[in-house]
Amino acid sequence: MKNIQLQRKVADLELRVEDNEQYMRSNTLEIQGIPESKNEDVYEVVKKVGVVLDINISREAIDVCHRLKKRNDADRPAGIIAKFVRREDKLKFLEKRRVKRNLNSHDVGYTSSTANPVYVNESLSPTKRKLLAAARSVKQEKNYAYLWVRNGKIFLRKAQGDPFIIVSSMDQIEKL
C-alpha cells in the first residue's frame, strides 16, 4: 500500500516538474536551418528572420539567444534558441511564420550555400520532444492527418472535423 502511494507521488511530482520545465520555455522559440558563420551575432540573425517574416524584433525584445549545442551526428547547422521578454512577441513571431510557409536560408540572406529550409518552432522540453517524436510515428503508422504543437501541448487529429487529442504521455500514445 505504501509503495503504491509513493509511486503515485513520484509520478505526480515528475508531471509537475515536466509542466514547470515546459512553462519556463513559454517565451522561447527554436530556429533551425540557419547556416553558421564565424563571429556571428545571433541576435542579428533572429532579427533577420523576423524581417523576412514581416515582424520587427528589437534587441530589447529578446531576453537571450544563442546557438544550441550541435549534435555529434548532425551535418546540419546548430539551431538557435531565442527567449523573448514577452510571450506576445514569441506568439507574433510564430503567427507570422505560419503565414510564410516555405521559409529558406536564401530568404534570410544566406545565399552562399544551397537553400536549406528554415523552421521556427516552439521550444519543447526534452520529455515533450520525445513525446512529439513518438506522436510523429503514431501519425504515420495510424494515418492521422494532423499533428501540431501549441503552447507546449501536442495535438493529434485523425481527419478534418474530427475532435483533436491532446497527447500528454507515452502511455496515451501506446493506447492510440
Side-chain angles (χ1 to χ4, degrees):
M1 184 71 162
K2 185 83 166 162
N3 195 18
I4 292 171
Q5 288 175 332
L6 288 173
Q7 287 175 341
R8 284 186 187 141
K9 190 168 193 163
V10 167
D12 179 54
L13 290 171
E14 285 175 341
L15 183 62
R16 290 172 62 185
V17 167
E18 172 56 31
D19 287 346
N20 281 333
E21 273 189 45
Q22 190 58 52
Y23 183 76
M24 287 173 28
R25 296 169 185 262
S26 61
N27 290 10
T28 308
L29 292 176
E30 288 183 24
I31 303 171
Q32 301 288 339
I34 299 287
E36 296 177 70
S37 60
K38 198 171 187 112
N39 300 322
E40 69 185 350
D41 182 349
V42 183
Y43 285 95
E44 288 300 317
V45 174
V46 173
K47 286 174 66 172
K48 278 185 192 177
V49 174
V51 167
V52 171
L53 296 175
D54 196 30
I55 183 169
N56 185 19
I57 298 294
S58 68
R59 190 176 279 264
E60 291 77 28
I62 301 171
D63 182 25
V64 66
C65 82
H66 56 84
R67 287 276 180 178
L68 295 166
K69 183 180 171 188
K70 192 170 183 170
R71 287 194 230 155
N72 293 336
D73 63 340
D75 58 344
R76 296 178 297 178
I80 295 171
I81 192 150
K83 182 174 183 184
F84 289 84
V85 174
R86 298 173 348 143
R87 186 170 309 146
E88 183 179 316
D89 291 333
K90 173 210 141 183
L91 293 173
K92 249 190 247 180
F93 208 96
L94 279 173
E95 182 181 311
K96 293 288 188 170
R97 190 266 310 161
R98 286 185 198 102
V99 172
K100 182 159 179 64
R101 284 282 194 203
N102 299 316
L103 183 63
N104 69 54
S105 55
H106 284 189
D107 296 331
V108 186
Y110 295 89
T111 56
S112 61
S113 60
T114 59
N116 296 320
V118 172
Y119 302 100
V120 179
N121 295 303
E122 293 186 38
S123 180
L124 296 178
S125 68
T127 302
K128 290 275 186 174
R129 195 177 300 273
K130 288 176 187 167
L131 194 58
L132 180 61
R136 267 195 198 105
S137 294
V138 165
K139 178 183 182 262
Q140 290 178 333
E141 292 167 12
K142 308 264 174 129
N143 296 319
Y144 278 82
Y146 304 98
L147 172 65
W148 71 98
V149 176
R150 281 278 193 299
N151 299 321
K153 293 183 178 155
I154 301 165
F155 297 85
L156 266 173
R157 179 178 284 158
K158 193 75 165 171
Q160 185 70 37
D162 286 356
F164 60 80
I165 300 165
I166 299 176
V167 179
S168 56
S169 71
M170 287 295 196
D171 289 340
Q172 184 183 16
I173 292 248
E174 291 168 9
K175 292 176 185 174
L176 291 174

